Amino acid sequence: MFNARRTPAGAASAPVLPWNGKLILLSALLYTLAFNLTFFIQELFLVLPKALTPGLQPTLFHNNHGWQGEHPLASLFQGTGALATALTGACCALLLSRRTGTRSTAGGLFLFWMAYSGLFMALPQVVIGALSTGSDVGMAMEYLRLGAGAKNAAALLALAVIPPFALWLGQRLLGVAENSAQIASPRARNRFVFQTATLPALMAVALIIPFRIPREPVEVVLLPVLVTVIGIAWIQAGAWRTTTTVAAGSRVGSLVYPLIAVLALLAVFQLLLRPGIRFY
């Protein structure tokens, strides 16, 4: 009934390559950077429309935003953050899809994680918005007077998009491989995705937490865990699939610049954004 795929000659006996600790650390740092940049974009675009609205006085913080004043559009503008992150993720996914030939491993991973963070930070908010009128997207849905049917349809659509986008991203991730042996067989691809995405993402959750404190523990931990698990599970599950992706052939560069970028962003979050920046 079904046509079985043939395993390429020699794939079953391909040597198991050693773990690349430098690649794991690089990916963890870049996910930390991408997650927090995406979160900043979300909060910034929650603030900017309010700053341009008469009667509203918004303030941007490192893990939230607030505003004073009243205006009917304030509820609608609670949805602009998720829209901004979704567009950011889509743009980075487009750039990632157009990468050809030998390119920087760090560059490919950064685009991968920006695309990942943008879409998987936005899509769950649609589902939550359909369930909770007090959430950001839920407030926007209330302003638009969406009924229960429209909300449920939006939530189901967001859930339906998650698996195919995650599987597509997983195939793009294989393109950052240093050599074809790393992605030559289903076992090799599973191993490569685990080293390049799954393990680094789980490690990065601990690195993301300092960007978010102080706040309620559920707010500090729940968001990075949710964003990480909801997509990584699908990416890892689909890693074995046969692919025509060609290894980039580039080597892992220095960890110094990604580490400096993460520390610099942490300083911005805790020293500049934590006290709050007024947009009025």
Side-chain angles (χ1 to χ4, degrees):
M1 180 181 294
F2 298 101
N3 293 324
R5 293 183 181 271
R6 291 182 178 273
T7 302
S13 58
V16 176
L17 300 177
W19 284 61
N20 190 334
K22 193 175 181 181
L23 177 62
I24 295 171
L25 291 175
L26 175 65
S27 188
L29 289 172
L30 291 175
Y31 179 42
T32 302
L33 186 64
F35 180 97
N36 288 295
L37 282 174
T38 302
F39 190 82
F40 172 76
I41 291 170
Q42 173 179 277
E43 295 302 317
L44 180 64
F45 280 89
L46 283 166
V47 165
L48 288 179
K50 296 184 181 74
L52 299 173
T53 304
L56 298 180
Q57 298 178 323
T59 302
L60 177 64
F61 297 100
H62 68 304
N63 60 11
N64 201 355
H65 82 288
W67 73 91
Q68 298 173 344
E70 299 287 340
H71 196 283
L73 288 174
S75 295
L76 176 63
F77 292 152
Q78 285 299 95
T80 54
L83 177 61
T85 59
L87 291 175
T88 300
C91 288
C92 289
L94 179 62
L95 292 173
L96 183 63
S97 70
R98 293 185 174 182
R99 282 171 53 90
T100 57
T102 303
R103 300 290 182 89
S104 162
T105 298
L109 282 174
F110 181 68
L111 285 176
F112 168 82
W113 285 125
M114 284 296 293
Y116 179 95
S117 298
L119 271 298
F120 290 115
M121 201 174 289
L123 291 172
Q125 292 188 63
V126 178
V127 180
I128 295 171
L131 299 174
S132 171
T133 58
S135 66
D136 287 352
V137 174
M139 293 174 68
M141 287 179 169
E142 285 295 297
Y143 177 88
L144 296 172
R145 298 182 180 180
L146 298 185
K151 289 181 180 180
N152 291 336
L156 290 174
L157 179 61
L159 289 172
V161 168
I162 288 174
F165 180 70
L167 295 175
W168 180 88
L169 262 185
Q171 294 299 297
R172 305 288 82 72
L173 177 64
L174 298 177
V176 306
E178 181 180 337
N179 58 70
S180 58
Q182 292 177 304
I183 56 175
S185 67
R187 180 184 178 187
R189 289 190 288 274
N190 270 308
R191 179 184 174 90
F192 180 77
V193 169
F194 184 79
Q195 291 186 62
T196 313
T198 304
L199 181 57
L202 295 175
M203 292 169 57
V205 170
L207 300 178
I208 292 168
I209 288 174
F211 287 81
R212 302 184 59 75
I213 56 177
R215 205 178 174 188
E216 300 84 356
V218 66
E219 293 289 344
V220 170
V221 179
L222 181 60
L223 178 62
V225 169
L226 176 63
V227 172
T228 298
V229 171
I230 197 171
I232 285 297
W234 283 104
I235 290 176
Q236 185 63 64
W240 60 272
R241 297 188 305 158
T242 302
T243 178
T244 57
T245 302
V246 178
S250 58
R251 294 184 178 276
V252 179
S254 173
L255 298 177
V256 173
Y257 294 116
L259 179 59
I260 291 175
V262 168
L263 293 176
L265 188 61
L266 178 60
V268 170
F269 269 49
Q270 291 294 344
L271 299 179
L272 297 180
L273 293 175
R274 178 174 170 181
I277 297 178
R278 296 179 179 181
F279 280 70
Y280 59 90

